[in-house]
Each structure stands twice: as structure tokens, then as C-alpha cells.
Amino acid sequence: MTLLIRGGTVVTAEQSVRSDVLCQDGLIVSVGPDLEAPTGAEIVDAGGMLVMPGGIDPHTHMELPFMGTTASEDFFTGTSAGIAGGTTSIIDFVIPPPGTSLVEAWREWRAKSEKSAADYGFHVAVTWWSDRVADEMGILARQHGVNSFKHFMAYKGALMVDDGVLLHSIGRALELGAICNVHAENGDAVAHLQQKMLAAGITGPEGHALSRPPDVEGEAANRVIAIAGLLGAPIYIVHVSTAEAADAIARARAKGQRVYGEVLAQHLLIDESVYRDKDWATAAAYVMSPPFRAKHHQEALWAGLVSGQLQTTATDHCCFCAPQKAAGRNDFTRIPNGTGGIEDRMSVLWHHGVGTGRLTPSEFVRITSTNTAQIFNLFPRKGSIQSGADADLVVWDAQASRTISVKTHHQNVDFNIYEGMHVTGLARHTISQGKLVWTDGDLRTTRGAGRYIERPCFAAPLQAIGERNRRTVPTPVERD
Ligand code: URQ
Ligand code: ZN
Ligand code: ZN
């Protein structure tokens, strides 16, 4: 299978340059101007358009069993919708119930993910602690290409872990050369405030946001940064939604601590007013954690991305349809938490990021693909356009516009959080493993074509980072 992408401007995290891209047998084989088309090659005309590394979404939950139901998007429909929007690989989550085997859960998720249309990896959640968990982290890291372990500081009584588990797990991950990512909300505070809201008769979706004020995230972010600092370990905070958490990350980074922050596209553009929608189902559709915030937090998140203090963008694509959300009709704590967005992340970030002058095209590539690839050790196989890299590419039409709607999206959910948003900038063609799988609105994905991508642990470098961050206890001066 040979495909030549001709006449475009290649945009990487480093530069933009007029170049053709030749792909053969799933890999990029040549990048340069005026490339010859081998006999029989399929030609993609990229004239007047940009050729970028396919987007990587480091935070999705396809088919997640959660809060008494299962997310409506599966690995095939979800990765297909991503491809329609220019995202060519995802990192999803294996989430073992507390007390159960991490390796067994990984096997179960691998079975579910066989149907993926695009490449995928897994962060594995540590939801409890024992010697067995420590051993299984080693098995997953050394034998199954897992170099990232997830922790929920929220969801008390379900997935939440305490500081003791964080200390054990982050320390174990450092030994393995793996990185930990964290959902940073103080779960005890949330539980307490939820009961206060219900006692005060607040049962609607507005109670969800009121029970998770910004300090609930700010406190947890500061706490997990301090814990990682004690251990000299890197840490990755998922779905940073507040100025408080963004500031905590920036302060830690300014002191040389290795902290990464992820921003969901929706937290940059949607604010807390959605919870006051007169229509219950509409307000409930926006119930996710962390919740949507007051507008000033959006500016703090954009500033973090523009300044480089926040590194990646994701969607936390975790879809529940109206009948599922209705479980919480009389009690907001029972509304399944989650929203979609994998199909629209790239367009909304281009329109509101590059279109407004906040981001350059290269910075767009950095936050939608390359940074994630580098942090989770997928680079340069993913997130780059160079010979030998996977031929995962998007031909981006920066002039074309579309109006986002549930009526036209490919996501398997009955609501679109960006409904009616008019955006300029879209994926004209998406290439996955060197195949044209999305072209001019025609989605040609194949069930099961996606591969499980092993992500090797970091060896010495991460340890070195650990050493650098570790607060060394001065050795006593030898008395002669
Ligand atoms: O917390 C998460 O990331 C999962 C459970 C998806 N739900 C959500 O509201 N973010
Ligand atoms: Zn989360
Ligand atoms: Zn999530």
C-alpha cells in the first residue's frame, strides 16, 4: 500500500515547510518537495492545505462501566469518530474495581479494544494497594507496554485512593520508569459538599458544580504535586480545569519539578452556565468531573497552553445518552459523569486557538499530538512526520468551516456539547497506518484495524529526573 500526500505544507511541532509525504506499508518513508509517485501509488492532493501528525487523545473512556451503567461509545465507533476529526490514536484507561487484579482488568479491556479502528494504548488505574498491585504494575510495565498508571483522588467509595496509596504507587512507578497520572479532586470534600447540597434541597445538575468548587481541585493538585515532589517522581495531572490547579503546576514547574498538565478542549470553551439550563436533560448532559467553570478559568487554561506550562489537550470522551443521565433525575450525585468530544477536539482547538492568534500551527501540533507522544514515550513513532514514523497523518483544511451538531457527528451519543458551534479548520483527509480512512466526509474505517501500541517505560532518564527532583538529605560531613 503506497500513498503520496502531494502539494501540502507539512506542519510539525518544530516547523512548517512545503513538502510531500510518501507512505509505504503503514510507515512514512520520505518527506520532501516534489516527490516522485511510485507506480500504483494512491495520490492525496494536499494543495493549499496543511499536513500534520494525526491527533493523539490521551484521555478517553470507551465502553467504560461507571456509576451503574456503561459509556455508550465503543472502541470502534469512538476511534472512528476520532478519525473523522483528525485524531488517529488514543490512550484509554483500564480501571480495575478496587481489590481486583490489574492484569486481569488489562486483559478484559484488551478484549474490548480489539474492535478499535485506530491505534490505542492504555493507562492502567491503581484503585487499591497491596504487594500484589506492586507486582502487577511490574508485569504490566515490563511485559505489556504500560508506562503510565492512573489514580483517582475523587469518587469516594468507588475509585478514590488515599495519600497512602498515592505514595506507594507513585514510588513504585518511579522504580519502574513509569509515570503516574491523576484525577485531582478532593473526594472527601466532594462527598461532604454533595450531602450538604442534597440536604439543602439542591438535587439538580447545578448541585454537581456547586459540590466541586475550584478549591476542591486546587487542593488536590497541590497535594499530589507535593507527594510526587517528596518522592522525586514526575506527575501528570489530567483534565486541569481551574486557575488554582494551573497555578500549582506552574509554580512546581518553575521550581524544576517535573509536572505535566492536561487540558480538555471543552473546559477551554464551555462554562458553568450550562448547569443552569432550563431543560434538565441539557444541563445533565454537561455533568462531568471536574465540572465546567466560570469563564476566568478558561483564560487561565489558555494561558497555560500558550505559555507551555500546560502541555497536552484531550477530551475525556466518556459518553452517556439521555436515558442513562436520567438515573440522576432526582439526585445529581447519580447522574453518570462524562461528556463526549473526540470528534471535535482538533477543530475547536484550531478555531479558538490558531484562529484567534493564541497558538501557532506548530504549537497546535504540539498540544494535540507531539507533547502527548513525548510524555508517554510514543515519539517519534507517533506525533512526528519523519521517515520511519507511523503514517498517521491529517490533511488539514484551515479554510473550510462546519457547524458542529449531533445531527452530523459520528459519535455514538445523543448529544454534542458543542452543538451549533461554527468552526473553521477541519480534517479534509485522515490517514491511519498509511491508509486513507477519512476523505471529504467519507468515513472508511475498518473494525479491528487499530493496534495495541506498547509504550516502553523510561529507563535511566526518568530515574535521573527522579534523582534531580529528590530532596537529598545532606550526608553528614566525615569527622576526621
Ligand atoms: O473522571 C473521569 O475522568 C471519568 C470517570 C470520566 N468522567 C468524567 O466526568 N470525567
Ligand atoms: Zn477524571
Ligand atoms: Zn477520565
Side-chain angles (χ1 to χ4, degrees):
M1 172 77 190
T2 303
L3 181 139
L4 175 63
I5 304 168
R6 180 181 269 166
T9 297
V10 165
V11 181
T12 64
E14 289 74 34
Q15 62 173 359
S16 295
V17 59
R18 233 294 300 129
S19 230
D20 299 344
V21 182
L22 180 63
C23 310
Q24 237 154 21
D25 303 329
L27 299 178
I28 295 171
V29 293
S30 181
V31 182
D34 308 322
L35 294 182
E36 276 294 305
T39 314
E42 183 174 3
I43 308 292
V44 175
D45 178 4
M49 293 187 276
L50 308 177
V51 182
M52 303 189 289
I56 306 172
D57 190 338
H59 193 152
T60 62
H61 298 282
M62 308 302 177
E63 310 180 42
L64 175 71
F66 189 54
M67 295 180 71
T69 185
T70 299
S72 58
E73 192 82 83
D74 73 29
F75 279 93
F76 173 60
T77 57
T79 47
S80 295
I83 278 174
T87 289
T88 52
S89 45
I90 64 172
I91 309 180
D92 204 282
F93 291 84
V94 173
I95 305 182
T100 66
S101 163
L102 277 65
V103 173
E104 277 315 302
W106 179 85
R107 289 204 175 90
E108 280 164 34
W109 252 268
R110 283 285 286 108
K112 290 194 282 189
S113 57
E114 281 300 305
K115 61 176 82 77
S116 295
D119 287 352
Y120 62 94
F122 286 122
H123 312 289
V124 177
V126 173
T127 54
W128 64 296
W129 189 257
S130 69
D131 291 347
R132 180 180 175 193
V133 171
D135 291 346
E136 292 201 326
M137 287 172 75
I139 293 166
L140 289 165
R142 293 173 178 134
Q143 299 174 28
H144 298 302
V146 172
N147 72 17
S148 49
F149 291 95
K150 174 74 178 293
H151 305 75
F152 292 93
M153 299 170 79
Y155 306 125
K156 182 172 185 174
L159 301 174
M160 177 177 146
V161 293
D162 65 17
D163 295 355
V165 173
L166 288 172
L167 284 157
H168 281 301
S169 185
I170 294 172
R172 176 58 172 154
L174 181 64
E175 282 170 12
L176 294 167
I179 188 166
C180 289
N181 40 7
V182 185
H183 175 136
E185 287 185 295
N186 181 318
D188 283 308
V190 170
H192 182 80
L193 293 174
Q194 284 178 331
Q195 293 316 307
K196 279 188 76 168
M197 294 301 143
L198 293 173
I202 299 171
T203 62
E206 73 280 12
H208 177 74
L210 293 169
S211 63
R212 309 175 100 98
D215 280 340
V216 160
E217 178 178 272
E219 183 278 333
N222 278 290
R223 178 160 34 109
V224 74
I225 287 170
I227 288 172
L230 284 175
L231 299 170
I235 196 80
Y236 178 103
I237 299 181
V238 303
H239 49 47
V240 173
S241 70
T242 60
E244 286 79 355
D247 291 348
I249 293 168
R251 273 196 307 278
R253 288 176 63 85
K255 289 189 292 186
Q257 190 173 344
R258 187 163 294 277
V259 182
Y260 299 115
E262 172 195 278
V263 179
L264 304 186
Q266 58 266 43
H267 279 137
L268 289 161
L269 299 159
I270 298 169
D271 68 71
E272 61 180 356
S273 61
V274 295
Y275 298 121
R276 294 190 288 275
D277 196 294
K278 299 248 177 309
D279 174 56
W280 186 90
T282 300
Y286 286 96
V287 167
M288 69 158 295
S289 295
F292 294 103
R293 305 291 185 182
K295 275 197 175 304
H296 74 270
H297 293 285
Q298 296 172 0
E299 283 319 309
L301 298 178
W302 278 115
L305 289 172
V306 170
S307 68
Q309 294 297 6
L310 298 173
Q311 291 74 35
T312 65
T313 59
T315 63
D316 202 351
H317 190 79
C318 187
C319 299
F320 299 104
C321 295
Q324 295 174 289
K325 292 276 189 175
R329 191 67 184 77
N330 302 312
D331 173 354
F332 68 83
T333 68
R334 296 167 47 79
I335 300 172
N337 286 202
T339 56
I342 191 169
E343 184 167 354
D344 301 311
R345 173 181 66 125
M346 305 276 275
S347 280
V348 299
L349 284 169
W350 184 272
H351 181 86
H352 294 280
V354 180
T356 58
R358 286 183 169 114
L359 298 168
T360 66
S362 282
E363 288 165 344
F364 172 84
V365 169
R366 194 158 269 295
I367 66 169
T368 58
S369 183
T370 306
N371 277 353
T372 288
Q374 291 174 337
I375 291 167
F376 293 111
N377 210 11
L378 286 165
F379 185 87
R381 178 179 181 184
K382 305 286 186 189
S384 76
I385 298 182
Q386 57 184 283
S387 175
D390 283 359
D392 287 359
L393 298 145
V394 56
V395 179
W396 193 258
D397 188 339
Q399 271 68 49
S401 298
R402 67 187 176 99
T403 300
I404 296 173
S405 173
V406 67
K407 298 186 192 68
T408 50
H409 76 197
H410 298 82
Q411 299 170 143
N412 186 30
V413 64
D414 59 3
F415 188 84
N416 191 303
I417 55 174
Y418 303 109
E419 187 66 34
M421 184 183 283
H422 190 74
V423 290
T424 299
L426 54 83
R428 177 68 65 200
H429 309 288
T430 304
I431 291 98
S432 171
Q433 301 177 49
K435 288 193 184 67
L436 194 55
V437 286
W438 165 259
T439 180
D440 279 325
D442 177 14
L443 189 56
R444 306 173 174 171
T445 52
T446 304
R447 189 181 183 87
R451 300 166 300 184
Y452 174 67
I453 303 296
E454 300 208 352
R455 294 172 293 119
C457 282
F458 297 87
L462 202 61
Q463 300 292 0
I465 291 162
E467 286 315 308
R468 196 164 61 235
N469 286 341
R470 194 185 304 283
R471 300 195 192 302
T472 44
V473 177
T475 42
V477 173
E478 294 300 320
R479 300 263 177 261
D480 45 25

